Amino acid sequence: MELRNILIYVTLLTFFVTACDEVKQKTKETINKSGETIGQTATEFFEGISEGVDKTLQCEITLSEELKSKGLKTGKFSIQNDTSGGTNNLLVLYIIFEKDFKGTISAKAFDKNGLEIGRSKIEVENKAGEASYYDFLFDKRTYIESKSKISIE
């Protein structure tokens, strides 16, 4: 009888150990799959927030009708810090020329409430079909904040 009981115990023990390993492996696979899904969802969520913030905080650039009639268009722009100590006081603007142009271009910055906060002028000369980045440096006390409006004239 003892041999029979030992065989039953060994068989049961083997069954439980094997079953536990299978449960452990299935649990691990489920956790990994859930973690992967949560990670993808979180990434998409934070990317969406980032895009929403970028759109909300972005400044608005307007080009005067006069400059448009002279063949100018605007492209990408950024607001940067001036290397001599200003914060958010440098407008870097990509300008596209559909016609030859030579003249002064000014930028006026307005805060989100429509109050003028600064002006900058640059001399520009370029040929039709060309494009380039131009720096409009405002006074170092000018701070171009989120949702500011900048008119290019």
Side-chain angles (χ1 to χ4, degrees):
M1 231 15 192
E2 280 187 22
L3 183 59
R4 185 172 158 225
N5 286 340
I6 292 173
L7 283 174
I8 291 173
Y9 290 133
V10 169
T11 304
L12 286 174
L13 184 61
T14 304
F15 173 76
F16 285 126
V17 168
T18 305
C20 287
D21 282 344
E22 285 181 33
V23 168
K24 182 178 167 184
Q25 185 61 32
K26 290 284 186 195
T27 302
K28 183 178 177 182
E29 288 173 8
T30 302
I31 289 171
N32 286 342
K33 189 66 174 171
S34 297
E36 183 179 319
T37 302
I38 289 169
Q40 289 173 346
T41 303
T43 300
E44 290 171 7
F45 175 75
F46 287 113
E47 284 176 355
I49 287 175
S50 176
E51 288 174 11
V53 168
D54 286 345
K55 289 178 184 174
T56 302
L57 297 180
Q58 193 171 28
C59 296
E60 179 184 332
I61 301 284
T62 57
L63 186 63
S64 72
E65 291 302 320
E66 179 184 353
L67 290 177
K68 287 179 186 177
S69 70
K70 292 182 178 180
L72 273 62
K73 288 184 171 182
T74 59
K76 188 172 178 98
F77 71 92
S78 65
I79 307 298
Q80 300 178 6
N81 297 334
D82 172 30
T83 56
S84 65
T87 304
N88 282 9
N89 68 323
L90 176 64
L91 166 66
V92 179
L93 177 64
Y94 190 73
I95 301 176
I96 304 157
F97 299 86
E98 293 181 336
K99 299 178 184 177
D100 289 354
F101 181 86
K102 181 178 181 179
T104 302
I105 298 177
S106 65
K108 293 180 185 176
F110 301 87
D111 69 10
K112 61 186 173 189
N113 297 317
L115 295 173
E116 186 173 335
I117 56 174
R119 294 183 185 198
S120 176
K121 289 183 182 183
I122 60 171
E123 292 297 320
V124 174
E125 182 175 0
N126 219 328
K127 300 284 183 194
E130 298 293 320
S132 189
Y133 283 97
Y134 292 90
D135 294 343
F136 291 86
L137 179 60
F138 292 85
D139 183 283
K140 69 179 180 179
R141 295 168 289 191
T142 300
Y143 178 81
I144 302 170
E145 59 193 24
S146 62
K147 297 186 180 181
S148 291
K149 295 183 182 192
I150 301 170
S151 67
I152 308 300
E153 305 170 352

